[in-house]
Amino acid sequence: MRFLQTFNVIPTLPEELRPLRELAYNYWWGWNADAFNIFRHIAADLWTRCGHNPIKFLSQVSQERLQELIRDEGFMYHLNRVLESLHGYLERKTWFQNRWQGEQPFQIAYFSAEFGINEGLPIYSGGLGVLAGDHLKSASDLGVPLVGIGLAYHKGYFRQYLTQDGWQQERYVENDFYNMPLHLMRDENKKLILVEVELPGRRVLIQIWKVQVGRVLLYLLSTNLPQNHVADRNITAQLYGGDHEMRLQQEIILGVGGVRALDKLGLLPAVTHMNEGHSAFLGLERIRYHMEQDKLSFAEARELVIGSNIFTTHTPVPAGIDMFAPDLIEKYFGSYMGTFGISNQDFLSMGRVNPQDPNEVFSMAILALKLSSRVNGVARLHGQVSRNMWKNLWPQLPLDEIPISHVTNGVHANSWISAEMSELFDRYLGPRWVGEPGDQKIWEGIAKIPSAELWRTHERRRERLVGYVRRKLRQQLTDRGAPGEEIEMAGQVLDPEALTIGFARRFATYKRATLIFKDIERLIKLATDKNRPVQIIFAGKAHPHDEPGKRLIQEVIKIARRGDLRRHIVFLEDYDLNCAHYLVQGVDVWLNNPRRPLEASGTSGMKAIFNGGLNCSVLDGWWDEGYNGNNGWAIGRGEEYGNKEYQDQVESAACYQILENEIVPLFYDRGPDNIPENWIRMMKRSMTSLGPIFNTNRMVTEYTERFYIPLVEKYAKLKNEGCREVKDLAGWKSKIFANWQFLKIEKVQADIDQEFPVGAELAVKAAIKMGELTPEDIQVEVFYGLIDEKQNMHATRSVIMQPEKETKSGKVTFTGAIPCVVTGNHGFTVRVLPNHPNLAHRFEMNLVTWAG
């Protein structure tokens, strides 16, 4: 068969049930309990078997059942009420509409290699994707004009199953996007909208799938077209699959293809936000676009792009960064480089720490860093780690001034809270907790929830979790071909009333899933106590190439099969969003014990917060700033160790101590009504202190206020009058780079031979040899701080010095004064930085001249 034409068939619904189709194609139903329950009410078992994919589900509902629904007045009323809720959600005035009064176009494009929207759209692997999905949902809630850009992986991420000996195996299931809530983008003539990307020796076509996420649109790019070569069709086959070259191809499709897709759709944004470095090539394509469209030079277009790019890094170790050999970059970007009018070495230098080293690999993170004016880690501690990690890019700056900030992650509360807990919040907090979860005063209403009501609500979720685990375990044992006796035992695992601990995440070695097994006899004693039993549910996948991670899973399976622990420890295969919902909504304690500081943020424990779950964690990632001493438990005090084995011994012992002496006694300390009042008090403290902070509505609001709005305004300013200010900035930078070597701090004067009382000032003068530069080109600062016992300066501050007079020799004297605020031994020096009103920040040019 040499020629084949294809067409798509969609489910046919009776006219009265057409609202089901409208609901199905907007993933809003995934975080609205009433909408979700509409589908479940139709046919609960089928809804589960279809993986909560409403399009596949509706295509399999019998016509008889559909006719029954039409005659069911209660169902029809519920359906129309939910549709009205959707319309009300889409039409009501949003936070952003109240906040933004600017006249310039406001459009943010959020690029991510994965998006965890719903288990029925399996194009995610873990925390990065779930965070991206929650980002879109909160942008929808807040009304932020944002579009998402990702890849449509037709085989998605792998499905996990285990062999009899507990070894992880991977299988890939084809995603049938035609039977999912997605639309292929077509033009007004119903023809597919396609974009092209150049790869070595050929052009690859890309089609665009549209996903509706509340008010926000997510566009997914696919190379799976018959016009492409079979190898190119598979570029978008698997998430994080294939070899190094395949990864490079995917990132070209995402970054370069993503910008071209937005242009073709008429949605070219003012600001682009890179969620991790996978999409960093978008910066290059935006430069190319502005060179072509705005007739700018490479240097000018780069300034425009830098001023409107944001990079969020999630990686705390260099090994987690995508890096490519120079010859591979030249192979794929050879002709592309020529469009910029720069040398190959200049092109490669954009992805290197040392531009002069021809052997240094090309780093996607460094490319993103160099082409962004805002860079942030995903937790306060991760910001510190990132500044240390990338300090070699700014060798002349003190660590605290490296221009990498942080925006702590959150979760979309309404996506993760159980329906029962949500109803409880509605009654006692009022409806504003959904739309304004960052308002601390709202969360103070938690105190009003009666203990008995909160506890019974939580207990029902634990019971449902146990039922889910038993069903899932029975199925996975049956699929594995386990003995009948072992399958029968699945119905007896776990106790619905016992203290239940959850540990679910990617099985990377640094997350130490088996830390709690270090003293197995101690664990057995804890777990099997007849009066105070403890049980642990494990879930998670190891990367297909991570054999140490797979061995951790095997170790968990081995322990879970012990006769004395098989009812107390369970491992659930094929961890996905549906499994995650049951876990975070049902466990009593969420356990997290990574090696500090290797957890950039982590968000799974945040999801438990909204369901009354308590966190017991190493002070790493988000918990380092979330823990306050009485809202959960901390393993250790934030220590970092050089010896991993010693660290494991110390922290596993600390974990046991917390369980034995704090968690277990608190959980089982019951009054006559069998309610653990002290435990419930901690649940309330956890929700009250953490709920307003660790949610994505707060997170997206912070991104909008700190990054999106300022950069949209800056982009409009730079684009004004034919990009006059961009051209001015690029020319000014060229002058600064050419003349900076001639600038010199020749003399610093200050009267330091006396003591200064608090409230006084130390006057400082500096004579600066300017060369061809003017005082308006630079900013001169006194840099000062306290001196510690090692003669290092800390608690540093800076004061801007003002030009006073210019001598005949071309020197300018600058003066300033250090305020004497605190007692102690202080130090100071003088430094000079470039200064221009359109710089993204004062360290953007990475030029600093220090005295001495």
Side-chain angles (χ1 to χ4, degrees):
M1 188 181 297
R2 297 182 61 187
F3 180 73
L4 182 68
Q5 290 184 310
T6 63
F7 62 97
N8 188 34
V9 178
I10 61 175
T12 300
L13 293 171
E15 186 64 33
E16 297 89 338
L17 296 178
R18 289 294 173 88
L20 283 172
R21 182 173 173 82
E22 184 177 347
L23 282 178
Y25 275 96
N26 191 324
Y27 273 100
W28 171 84
W29 60 259
W31 71 89
N32 181 281
D34 286 341
F36 184 90
N37 287 331
I38 280 283
F39 297 109
R40 186 162 58 186
H41 177 83
I42 294 172
D45 290 343
L46 178 61
W47 178 236
T48 300
R49 289 198 303 274
C50 290
H52 300 162
N53 172 357
I55 303 304
K56 181 179 180 181
F57 169 73
L58 291 174
S59 72
Q60 297 184 21
V61 178
S62 69
Q63 290 298 312
E64 291 80 7
R65 178 58 178 151
L66 294 177
Q67 291 302 319
E68 285 178 11
L69 294 170
I70 293 172
R71 295 190 296 269
D72 185 337
E73 291 185 12
F75 175 83
M76 294 303 297
Y77 172 78
H78 188 193
L79 173 59
N80 289 316
R81 185 168 60 85
V82 169
L83 191 66
E84 287 176 8
S85 294
L86 172 59
H87 292 165
Y89 174 85
L90 296 175
E91 294 165 7
R92 71 168 178 252
K93 193 167 185 179
T94 65
W95 168 85
F96 183 81
Q97 288 172 316
N98 290 322
R99 170 63 182 83
W100 174 251
Q101 304 300 325
E103 296 180 359
Q104 53 267 41
F106 196 109
Q107 182 73 66
I108 310 299
Y110 181 84
F111 283 68
S112 182
E114 51 176 299
F115 285 90
I117 305 295
N118 178 268
E119 59 270 18
L121 182 60
I123 56 168
Y124 62 91
S125 70
L128 180 73
V130 175
L131 183 279
D134 283 7
H135 193 112
L136 297 193
K137 293 172 186 177
S138 279
S140 171
D141 289 345
L142 296 165
V144 177
L146 180 147
V147 295
I149 297 290
L151 298 180
Y153 304 100
H154 56 266
K155 292 185 179 179
Y157 199 51
F158 71 89
R159 305 297 299 271
Q160 178 196 56
Y161 68 98
L162 303 180
T163 61
Q164 277 286 18
D165 65 350
W167 189 255
Q168 174 183 290
Q169 297 288 322
E170 299 86 29
R171 63 186 175 90
Y172 291 87
V173 179
E174 196 78 20
N175 281 330
D176 182 3
F177 292 127
Y178 292 95
N179 264 320
M180 292 181 178
L182 285 71
H183 287 292
L184 268 176
M185 294 302 296
R186 299 177 183 273
D187 61 21
E188 61 275 9
N189 298 316
K190 306 300 182 183
K191 292 185 178 180
L192 286 179
I193 295 176
L194 302 175
V195 293
E196 290 185 351
V197 166
E198 302 81 13
L199 293 184
R202 76 254 192 218
R203 289 177 174 268
V204 177
L205 290 174
I206 303 168
Q207 63 184 3
I208 309 164
W209 291 93
K210 181 181 76 173
V211 186
Q212 188 83 40
V213 186
R215 297 182 179 87
V216 165
L217 293 176
L218 166 62
Y219 294 102
L220 301 175
L221 312 179
S222 171
T223 60
N224 189 23
L225 288 92
Q227 298 96 311
N228 288 330
H229 186 277
V230 64
D232 292 334
R233 295 186 67 171
N234 284 324
I235 292 175
T236 56
Q238 296 176 16
L239 173 60
Y240 305 141
D243 58 14
H244 218 51
E245 191 162 356
M246 175 66 79
R247 178 68 68 87
L248 177 61
Q249 292 171 355
Q250 287 186 339
E251 295 181 352
I252 291 171
I253 298 299
L254 177 61
V256 176
V259 172
R260 293 181 182 179
L262 288 171
D263 182 33
K264 198 74 173 280
L265 295 170
L267 296 172
L268 207 64
V271 171
T272 47
H273 185 171
M274 294 174 273
N275 188 42
E276 200 39 277
H278 308 111
S279 60
F281 291 134
L282 71 83
L284 302 177
E285 178 60 16
R286 291 188 73 203
I287 291 172
R288 188 202 63 78
Y289 173 87
H290 286 297
M291 289 178 68
E292 181 180 292
Q293 295 296 316
D294 298 313
K295 310 305 178 189
L296 301 177
S297 68
F298 172 80
E300 292 164 349
R302 183 177 58 187
E303 294 307 324
L304 187 57
V305 169
I306 288 174
S308 55
N309 265 0
I310 301 160
F311 172 43
T312 295
T313 173
H314 294 256
T315 308
V317 291
I321 301 296
D322 287 335
M323 299 182 184
F324 302 106
D327 59 346
L328 193 60
I329 294 294
E330 289 184 315
K331 172 184 175 181
Y332 276 84
F333 286 93
S335 59
Y336 195 85
M337 292 178 184
T339 65
F340 293 124
I342 60 175
S343 69
N344 287 12
Q345 282 304 108
D346 285 343
F347 184 96
L348 290 167
S349 73
M350 289 188 285
R352 290 170 168 166
V353 173
N354 182 0
Q356 310 308 318
D357 183 357
N359 298 313
E360 185 180 335
V361 294
F362 188 95
S363 164
M364 295 298 285
I366 292 174
L367 177 64
L369 285 161
K370 288 187 175 182
L371 293 183
S372 299
S373 59
R374 298 290 189 276
V375 180
N376 69 280
V378 289
R380 181 177 60 197
L381 178 60
H382 182 235
Q384 298 170 11
V385 170
S386 298
R387 287 189 288 276
N388 190 62
M389 183 173 166
W390 299 113
K391 62 186 178 184
N392 289 340
L393 281 170
W394 293 273
Q396 297 190 76
L397 291 183
L399 191 62
D400 288 345
E401 292 194 313
I402 300 295
I404 301 175
S405 64
H406 77 275
V407 177
T408 301
N409 280 346
V411 298
H412 187 248
N414 216 25
S415 290
W416 293 102
I417 192 169
S418 70
E420 296 88 346
M421 193 67 78
S422 178
E423 291 170 5
L424 203 60
F425 283 10
D426 287 344
R427 283 202 300 276
Y428 292 99
L429 278 65
R432 286 200 305 124
W433 77 268
V434 176
E436 303 173 45
D439 188 335
Q440 177 68 53
K441 290 183 179 179
I442 294 174
W443 290 89
E444 291 170 2
I446 291 286
K448 296 185 292 186
I449 302 176
S451 295
E453 199 169 353
L454 178 58
W455 187 243
R456 298 306 176 211
T457 300
H458 179 64
E459 284 195 310
R460 283 197 296 274
R461 291 310 312 181
R462 192 190 316 112
E463 290 167 4
R464 290 187 185 180
L465 169 60
V466 170
Y468 168 79
V469 169
R470 290 173 176 175
R471 293 191 304 273
K472 189 171 176 66
L473 183 60
R474 176 185 286 273
Q475 187 61 55
Q476 70 188 42
L477 290 172
T478 301
D479 293 344
R480 199 185 301 162
E485 180 184 354
E486 190 176 351
I487 295 173
E488 193 64 30
M489 275 290 296
Q492 303 172 33
V493 300
L494 307 183
D495 178 350
E497 297 183 357
L499 172 62
T500 304
I501 299 172
F503 184 100
R505 54 189 38 83
R506 183 165 54 92
F507 266 65
T509 52
Y510 80 86
K511 293 178 183 284
R512 299 187 297 178
T514 58
L515 187 69
I516 201 167
F517 297 155
K518 283 292 179 182
D519 189 338
I520 196 67
E521 295 305 319
R522 203 168 173 181
L523 178 61
I524 292 169
K525 185 178 179 181
L526 264 171
T528 60
D529 187 307
K530 291 184 178 180
N531 297 317
R532 304 191 307 181
V534 176
Q535 54 201 18
I536 310 173
I537 304 170
F538 289 89
K541 299 176 179 179
H543 188 278
H545 303 309
D546 182 7
E547 294 214 352
K550 292 183 178 182
R551 284 194 289 272
L552 291 178
I553 294 175
Q554 198 171 36
E555 185 179 347
V556 173
I557 296 297
K558 181 181 177 182
I559 297 295
R561 285 178 174 170
R562 289 179 55 121
D564 46 8
L565 288 174
R566 64 170 53 187
R567 294 188 180 183
H568 303 273
I569 296 178
V570 174
F571 181 89
L572 298 179
E573 294 178 16
D574 203 29
Y575 185 47
D576 65 0
L577 288 177
N578 185 49
C579 180
H581 278 90
Y582 276 99
L583 283 169
V584 300
Q585 292 174 5
V587 297
D588 301 296
V589 175
W590 196 262
L591 180 64
N592 187 33
N593 41 238
R595 292 189 198 281
R596 175 185 164 114
L598 300 182
E599 185 82 278
S601 175
T603 56
S604 55
M606 300 177 191
K607 296 157 191 163
I609 292 167
F610 298 96
N611 295 285
L614 297 174
N615 281 271
C616 177
S617 175
V618 169
L619 290 173
D620 197 8
W622 77 277
W623 192 235
D624 180 65
E625 58 195 276
Y627 175 66
N628 67 10
N630 63 10
N631 59 357
W633 296 274
I635 301 170
R637 298 182 180 181
E639 300 91 347
E640 295 177 21
Y641 298 79
N643 185 316
K644 293 181 180 179
E645 290 185 8
Y646 177 68
Q647 179 180 8
D648 289 353
Q649 291 174 3
V650 170
E651 293 183 340
S652 65
C655 187
Y656 285 123
Q657 186 275 329
I658 292 169
L659 282 166
E660 293 165 344
N661 300 327
E662 299 182 48
I663 295 177
V664 172
L666 191 68
F667 182 84
Y668 286 106
D669 177 18
R670 309 293 176 94
D673 55 1
N674 199 34
I675 292 177
E677 289 287 353
N678 291 327
W679 183 276
I680 292 168
R681 270 193 281 274
M682 186 174 282
M683 288 171 66
K684 290 183 176 182
R685 287 196 296 265
S686 171
M687 289 188 282
T688 303
S689 62
L690 303 172
I693 301 170
F694 297 100
N695 65 80
T696 43
N697 280 29
R698 184 275 311 157
M699 182 191 81
V700 173
T701 298
E702 191 172 343
Y703 275 118
T704 304
E705 297 280 9
R706 289 178 51 195
F707 297 168
Y708 295 165
I709 288 176
L711 293 196
V712 165
E713 292 174 338
K714 181 174 182 180
Y715 181 79
K717 180 184 177 186
L718 294 177
K719 284 274 288 179
N720 195 30
E721 296 180 22
C723 300
R724 178 181 57 81
E725 294 205 27
V726 163
K727 295 173 182 177
D728 172 70
L729 179 60
W732 176 83
K733 278 191 174 183
S734 179
K735 180 185 78 169
I736 295 296
F737 280 123
N739 290 281
W740 195 258
Q741 60 183 315
F742 304 114
L743 184 144
K744 185 178 180 182
I745 303 172
E746 294 213 327
K747 189 175 183 180
V748 175
Q749 293 177 290
D751 184 7
I752 56 174
D753 295 329
Q754 59 174 304
E755 292 180 334
F756 292 83
V758 170
E761 291 185 336
L762 171 62
V764 180
K765 287 187 177 183
I768 312 294
K769 185 177 180 181
M770 302 293 295
E772 297 297 317
L773 303 180
T774 70
E776 290 73 27
D777 291 325
I778 63 173
Q779 180 166 296
V780 183
E781 299 177 349
V782 183
F783 185 77
Y784 66 98
L786 290 165
I787 301 295
D788 63 20
E789 66 278 1
K790 296 180 180 179
Q791 297 302 298
N792 293 319
M793 194 158 57
H794 64 98
T796 54
R797 299 284 187 275
S798 61
V799 172
I800 297 174
M801 305 178 75
Q802 300 300 327
E804 194 172 70
K805 59 181 179 179
E806 184 172 356
T807 66
K808 293 181 180 179
S809 58
K811 298 175 188 174
V812 177
T813 299
F814 287 77
T815 62
I818 300 173
C820 300
V821 178
V822 296
T823 59
N825 190 25
H826 292 70
F828 76 94
T829 186
V830 171
R831 67 182 181 189
V832 184
L833 307 166
N835 181 46
H836 191 283
N838 284 328
L839 286 177
H841 52 81
R842 56 194 178 139
F843 304 122
E844 179 188 334
M845 295 180 68
N846 208 357
L847 295 175
V848 187
T849 295
W850 294 87

